[in-house]
Amino acid sequence: MQMFVGGRAAESLSGKRTQIVNPATGNVIDTIPAGTADDVLAAVDAAEADQPKWANISPADKSRILINAAAQIRAEADSLATLLTTEQGKPLREAKDEILGTAHVFEYYASMTGSIRGNAASLPKYGYMNVVRKPIGICGAIVPWNMPAMIFGWKAGAALACGNAVVAKPSDTAPLTILRLAEILVHAGVSGGAMNVVTGSGSVVGDAVVRNADIRHVSFTGSVATGRSVALAAAPALKRLTLELGGNDAFIVAADADIDAAVTGAVRNRFYNCGQVCTSAKRILVDAKVSDEFVRKAKAAIEKLSVGNGLEKVNMGPLNNSDQRDTVASAVDRIVDEGAGTIVCGGKKLEGKGNFYAPTLIADAAPDAVREEIFGPVMPVIVFETLESAIEIANSTPYGLGASIWTKDITTAYTAAEEIRSGVVWVNKHLVLPPEIPFGGTKDSGYGRENGTDFIYEFTEPKSILISI
Ligand code: NDP
């Protein structure tokens, strides 16, 4: 595929290309341009030229264009899902959910174009105050490989709804679906230069996006380490940032919970997308009174999961890349070496081609051994004695993205919702994130919010106008 500059397919000025590999087979499925900082400059020039055109389209027309794009995404859902599975690895069913979810994201933003508003007041002695919300101009969108379509939708949908131009940088291991989505947006009517996707490595293209002074806002999703370096690189240009840097979500099962529902929720959640979701249930905290039952039922459910090429009928695919599989394997090996948990099932790489790792259950995990996020198919179960200690463990990591409490007791639910320090708390659910919900974290999970109505504050600049009397 080619990249996408000024609304047109383009090669990199470098003339070089990078291979995209199917994580289930190791086969090369396509190549993409290895972009450079000069390609980012070309995208910024195109964005500067066309952003005013896009901003001046009426809210109703912007809405119609985004709706048409969503309709096209729905029409192509099967082929987009196949493309996504082939480059990212997830099972086709999950890929289709992600594609349809992405269409819904654009529908949501289509419904919001008329709500990009400030406020007004009559100020005696001064006059009329009007605060209007103006587009920022050009927004950078740095997208990871785990949920590429959906996360691109969050960033591009919000930026476009507010009248901004977008320069997106997909991950080098999952750029293809995003390139097709950008093409769909332009065919639906987004002014050409308002939609750019520059492919290439994070250290070259991503860094150029972050440092470019004409890109006034960057929304980044990825690791804490890269997020920190993005924040430092963006500082000289005093650029606004939205950072979503992953999490180590606690999934707390109280003794009074519906254990079958909690087991189903935990297993579905933890192994969804092979465990590679920022707000996946990464630490399962279970009350000692029900922990044996929970582990027994979780083991039975996990052993039923089929693992294989996402294009076949399987429950779980491979990890997206071999580095990721190595990182997960060494995290599990370390827990075993330290005697900080007992492997109940899994705990190893699967033989053969592809980045497969067995779905893994670890019982009696020591809270300190799983303070760092494990971004893969590993479910550590930590046993707790009191709700107070569960909340303390939940809060004991550097992260603060999401958490859930599974209980039938409203006081337990309320206490957990109040005391867990995270951007989202679910009660008897986890990982449900329609675009209507503001999403983002605290502490090392980053700052700023995507979706909900909070996107208006992230993707617009307030301008105060005083009409004096
Ligand atoms: P990174 O944070 O390095 O990558 C995320 C995105 O940032 C990619 O598009 C990447 O491009 C880009 N990028 C990399 N370096 C820079 C830079 N200097 N400036 C600007 N952009 C940059 O994540 P990894 O892919 O290396 O994954 C490592 C870990 O990150 C995972 O194990 C997981 O813990 C976490 N992660 C969290 C995600 C989340 O949803 N919060 C998503 C993915 C990973 P490229 O891919 O081309 O290098």
Side-chain angles (χ1 to χ4, degrees):
M1 272 194 180
Q2 290 175 295
M3 58 188 194
F4 213 71
V5 175
R8 274 186 221 95
E11 276 307 320
S12 165
L13 298 169
S14 76
K16 295 189 182 138
R17 297 187 72 86
T18 303
Q19 294 184 333
I20 306 298
V21 172
N22 180 336
T25 61
N27 296 337
V28 175
I29 50 167
D30 205 341
T31 60
I32 50 158
T36 63
D38 286 339
D39 294 312
V40 174
L41 285 180
V44 169
D45 285 347
E48 244 166 12
D50 279 355
Q51 183 269 330
K53 268 188 237 161
W54 174 246
N56 285 328
I57 289 177
S58 72
D61 283 344
K62 281 199 195 80
S63 173
R64 186 178 44 74
I65 289 166
L66 295 177
I67 286 283
N68 287 344
Q72 187 58 30
I73 295 169
R74 288 188 186 281
E76 288 183 28
D78 286 328
S79 62
L80 281 165
T82 303
L83 183 62
L84 179 54
T85 292
T86 315
E87 65 173 335
Q88 199 277 343
K90 63 185 67 188
L92 208 45
R93 181 180 40 80
E94 292 182 11
K96 185 134 178 215
D97 282 354
E98 182 174 338
I99 296 299
L100 295 177
T102 305
H104 178 53
V105 167
F106 285 111
E107 287 155 359
Y108 172 72
Y109 282 112
S111 78
M112 297 303 289
T113 56
S115 306
I116 316 293
R117 297 197 180 146
N119 60 46
S122 168
L123 302 177
K125 288 205 258 177
Y126 298 105
Y128 286 124
M129 174 201 80
N130 281 290
V131 182
V132 289
R133 290 260 159 201
K134 307 293 279 181
I136 290 175
I138 308 175
C139 294
I142 300 183
V143 185
W145 42 262
N146 59 332
M147 309 274 295
M150 178 73 87
I151 295 174
F152 169 77
W154 292 349
K155 297 180 190 316
L160 292 171
C162 295
N164 300 294
V166 177
V167 177
K169 199 315 256 179
S171 164
D172 242 3
T173 63
L176 304 177
T177 312
I178 290 176
L179 288 166
R180 178 61 195 140
L181 291 174
E183 207 172 10
I184 288 173
L185 283 160
V186 171
H187 283 160
V190 173
S191 316
M195 186 68 253
N196 305 276
V197 181
V198 182
T199 53
S201 74
S203 56
V204 176
V205 172
D207 188 63
V209 167
V210 173
R211 289 181 194 276
N212 187 293
D214 295 320
I215 297 178
R216 297 305 310 152
H217 172 267
V218 168
S219 165
F220 169 87
T221 303
S223 63
V224 178
T226 306
R228 276 192 221 288
S229 68
V230 162
L232 287 170
L238 300 173
K239 184 172 301 198
R240 289 167 63 178
L241 293 175
T242 307
L243 298 177
E244 199 275 87
L245 309 179
N248 199 356
D249 291 16
F251 179 112
I252 304 176
V253 183
D256 71 339
D258 175 338
I259 299 299
D260 290 336
V263 167
T264 304
V267 172
R268 187 174 292 158
N269 231 283
R270 188 59 197 114
F271 299 101
Y272 185 79
N273 199 15
C274 199
Q276 306 163 111
V277 183
C278 42
T279 185
S280 163
K282 298 197 181 94
R283 294 174 298 150
I284 314 295
L285 278 55
V286 186
D287 189 302
K289 294 185 226 34
V290 291
S291 61
D292 286 348
E293 179 188 356
F294 184 95
V295 168
R296 183 171 38 80
K297 289 181 169 171
K299 175 176 187 278
I302 292 167
E303 284 176 343
K304 282 195 197 127
L305 296 176
S306 54
V307 181
N309 187 328
L311 292 178
E312 287 151 23
K313 277 205 160 175
V314 294
N315 299 116
M316 199 181 89
L319 287 129
N320 172 255
N321 54 78
S322 58
D323 286 353
Q324 195 58 37
R325 181 170 73 156
D326 290 345
T327 308
V328 169
S330 43
V332 173
D333 292 349
R334 182 185 45 76
I335 292 170
V336 173
D337 291 347
E338 289 173 2
T342 308
I343 303 281
V344 179
C345 57
K348 57 178 189 303
K349 292 180 182 178
L350 296 178
E351 297 298 324
K353 285 187 180 167
N355 308 318
F356 294 101
Y357 193 85
T360 298
L361 176 62
I362 302 177
D364 294 319
D368 283 352
V370 288
R371 278 184 87 243
E372 288 305 322
E373 173 185 49
I374 302 180
F375 211 66
V378 179
M379 183 197 272
V381 175
I382 299 167
V383 179
F384 68 83
E385 300 289 339
T386 62
L387 180 62
E388 198 183 20
S389 67
I391 290 171
E392 199 179 312
I393 295 167
N395 287 335
S396 68
T397 79
Y399 298 92
L401 190 58
S404 63
I405 175 82
W406 293 68
T407 180
K408 293 185 190 125
D409 181 64
I410 186 69
T411 308
T412 304
Y414 177 81
T415 306
E418 277 291 299
E419 294 186 11
I420 293 175
R421 292 195 294 277
S422 62
V424 188
V425 177
W426 290 274
V427 177
N428 295 324
K429 278 268 177 267
H430 202 109
L431 193 55
V432 180
L433 275 179
E436 289 79 3
I437 295 181
F439 179 58
T442 61
K443 306 196 284 179
D444 281 5
S445 292
Y447 48 77
R449 293 289 179 270
E450 292 181 308
N451 298 334
T453 50
D454 292 40
F455 78 92
I456 295 171
Y457 306 108
E458 303 281 338
F459 287 87
T460 61
E461 197 78 74
K463 182 179 232 177
S464 303
I465 302 166
L466 183 70
I467 302 172
S468 69
I469 46 173

